[in-house]
Amino acid sequence: MKRIVAIFLSLLLMMSLLTACGDQPRLQDGYYTAQAEEFNYGWKEYITILVKGGNIVSVEYNAENASGFIKSWDNAYMQTMLHSDGTYPNEYTRYYANQLLEGQGEGSIDAITGASSSHASFQILAQAVLEQARKGDSSIVFIDTTH
């Protein structure tokens, strides 16, 4: 009898968890991009995700300057930032992108010391790109990331 009650309670718990998951709209397959409206210190940040089977399978987070040069490719910038802030774009962009990928947009994103401004922008852009993916709207969305 106890076993039947335990199985029943387990099934009830699983049903409630599955029902709770149904409240969040599913991510639609496709590529989605959210980009900052304005350049900040010469860089415009963006996030692009690829969704397949309702799951995020790829995340790119970076910034580009007016000529389209990617921030994490700038070795001189990397050296300067590493010595002054203890981190650099190629490190924190991958770190933030990986957290979004692993958490599938559900978990919180931990900040890296020295990249807190980018962390704030990342969170704003991540919410926008996830909303685009829920709607299935693959147009680039431009977001005010000033904070």
Side-chain angles (χ1 to χ4, degrees):
M1 181 67 172
K2 287 183 181 181
R3 188 175 194 180
I4 292 173
V5 171
I7 291 172
F8 176 75
L9 290 175
S10 295
L11 288 173
L12 188 61
L13 177 62
M14 285 192 310
M15 286 182 6
S16 67
L17 289 174
L18 290 173
T19 304
C21 293
D23 293 343
Q24 186 74 277
R26 181 184 153 120
L27 301 179
Q28 304 298 310
D29 289 359
Y31 283 96
Y32 303 96
T33 300
Q35 184 175 17
E37 285 180 328
E38 303 291 329
F39 287 93
N40 187 15
Y41 296 103
W43 301 99
K44 189 181 281 194
E45 294 175 309
Y46 65 89
I47 295 176
T48 299
I49 65 171
L50 170 59
V51 177
K52 283 187 177 178
N55 294 312
I56 301 169
V57 295
S58 175
V59 178
E60 179 185 0
Y61 168 55
N62 224 309
E64 61 184 8
N65 65 16
S67 67
F69 189 72
I70 302 298
K71 189 175 190 178
S72 64
W73 298 348
D74 189 333
N75 286 327
Y77 188 92
M78 178 185 76
Q79 290 300 320
T80 301
M81 188 173 177
L82 178 60
H83 294 303
S84 66
D85 298 334
T87 189
Y88 52 94
N90 202 24
E91 179 181 48
Y92 69 76
T93 58
R94 290 177 184 212
Y95 178 78
Y96 294 150
N98 191 49
Q99 285 192 58
L100 180 63
L101 179 64
E102 286 181 0
Q104 292 293 302
E106 298 297 319
S108 63
I109 306 297
D110 296 329
I112 289 182
T113 301
S116 56
S117 177
S118 292
H119 176 259
S121 296
F122 180 83
Q123 291 195 95
I124 294 167
L125 292 170
Q127 290 306 312
V129 80
L130 290 169
E131 183 59 32
Q132 290 297 99
R134 286 183 193 101
K135 292 189 285 187
D137 182 355
S138 62
S139 62
I140 296 174
V141 61
F142 295 92
I143 303 297
D144 179 6
T145 58
T146 56
H147 37 269

